[in-house]
Amino acid sequence: QKEVEQNSGPLSVPEGAIASLNCTYSDRGSQSFFWYRQYSGKSPELIMFIYSNGDKEDGRFTAQLNKASQYVSLLIRDSQPSDSATYLCASSGGFKTIFGAGTRLFVKA
Amino acid sequence: EAQVTQNPRYLITVTGKKLTVTCSQNMNHEYMSWYRQDPGLGLRQIYYSMNVEVTDKGDVPEGYKVSRKEKRNFPLILESPSPNQTSLYFCASSLRGQKTTNYGYTFGSGTRLTVV
């Protein structure tokens, strides 16, 4: 069974700090990796995708991929209370996309 | 506005009464998919479609049917709903590149289904 594992949290960080979210995946054939943000009662929203080993930065967000370790992470710099949400990690290989169960992030003002 | 539209948003039905949840996207995406989301289990893929008339099973297809007669529409059909299909359902579409490169999903607003 192909899986994506995330710590369910909650991860609590103070406003202005860096939030670090991690996930691991089991399918070595995965080619694409994603981070989605989901506010309570809302649908998931794509915030980052990464295909190559290394870092990818977009504004306050940095995604990191290490295919050898089968590890994906998301860093959120200068965390804001509005970043409080559940963050879903996903991997895609072929035509299927598998999601982790999500990490709840709480940013304290 | 680029979007995926699902209907209805909320549905309560009785066991065994056939229902259809509609999904439509206006982004000309080839790939569409249905997921269900349950507490502690995350999003699980039910069915997906790579293009018109091309569909395949995801990880939890039992009790569901889909069809893709037009590129923009991908309805989810529950022929005989049961209480274990009570869940939050999301339709999603994505742009695909060569060799199945996935550029990420745009999700619909979700359908909360209760089967009693």
Side-chain angles (χ1 to χ4, degrees):
Chain A
Q1 180 79 3
K2 298 171 183 176
E3 294 181 337
V4 174
E5 300 281 349
Q6 293 182 255
N7 188 318
S8 63
L11 173 66
S12 183
V13 300
E15 183 176 359
I18 296 176
S20 178
L21 305 163
N22 308 307
C23 91
T24 59
Y25 61 94
S26 64
D27 181 12
R28 286 197 173 274
S30 295
Q31 301 161 340
S32 312
F33 304 88
F34 307 89
W35 284 99
Y36 292 84
R37 177 176 61 200
Q38 186 175 24
Y39 292 113
S40 180
K42 302 293 186 182
S43 57
E45 172 192 13
L46 179 68
I47 53 175
M48 291 285 290
F49 61 88
I50 186 168
Y51 307 131
S52 304
N53 276 328
D55 295 358
K56 179 181 179 182
E57 187 174 320
D58 184 2
R60 295 188 296 114
F61 299 99
T62 299
Q64 299 174 318
L65 173 61
N66 184 325
K67 289 186 178 180
S69 300
Q70 295 177 247
Y71 178 88
V72 191
S73 66
L74 179 71
L75 301 177
I76 306 175
R77 289 180 298 281
D78 189 23
S79 295
Q80 301 297 310
S82 59
D83 294 325
S84 298
T86 297
Y87 289 80
L88 308 176
C89 175
S91 72
S92 179
F95 289 104
K96 289 189 176 183
T97 299
I98 299 172
F99 285 80
T103 298
R104 284 187 299 142
L105 173 66
F106 179 61
V107 181
K108 298 176 292 184
Chain B
E1 180 189 356
Q3 60 184 0
V4 177
T5 303
Q6 277 181 246
N7 281 297
R9 290 292 308 277
Y10 302 92
L11 180 59
I12 301 175
T13 191
V14 296
T15 299
K17 184 177 181 181
K18 181 179 178 180
L19 67 91
T20 299
V21 184
T22 63
C23 174
S24 180
Q25 51 94 5
N26 64 0
M27 296 166 283
N28 201 37
H29 285 168
E30 292 183 343
Y31 186 94
M32 298 184 74
S33 186
W34 277 101
Y35 284 84
R36 60 178 289 175
Q37 188 173 37
D38 302 289
L41 297 178
L43 285 160
R44 293 180 292 165
Q45 194 168 32
I46 302 171
Y47 269 95
Y48 60 93
S49 171
M50 295 80 84
N51 213 326
V52 175
E53 303 290 2
V54 184
T55 63
D56 205 350
K57 297 177 181 179
D59 294 319
V60 288
E62 296 78 19
Y64 304 95
K65 285 176 57 178
V66 294
S67 67
R68 187 90 181 274
K69 294 183 171 58
E70 304 166 285
K71 195 171 187 178
R72 63 184 291 126
N73 295 324
F74 190 44
L76 178 69
I77 303 157
L78 285 72
E79 294 270 4
S80 183
S82 63
N84 65 12
Q85 292 179 299
T86 292
S87 187
L88 178 60
Y89 291 86
F90 288 105
C91 179
S93 72
S94 73
L95 186 63
R96 290 261 163 166
Q98 292 182 347
K99 296 183 181 179
T100 73
T101 301
N102 182 347
Y103 295 104
Y105 284 127
T106 300
F107 281 88
S109 299
T111 296
R112 187 166 292 281
L113 172 66
T114 302
V115 183
V116 297

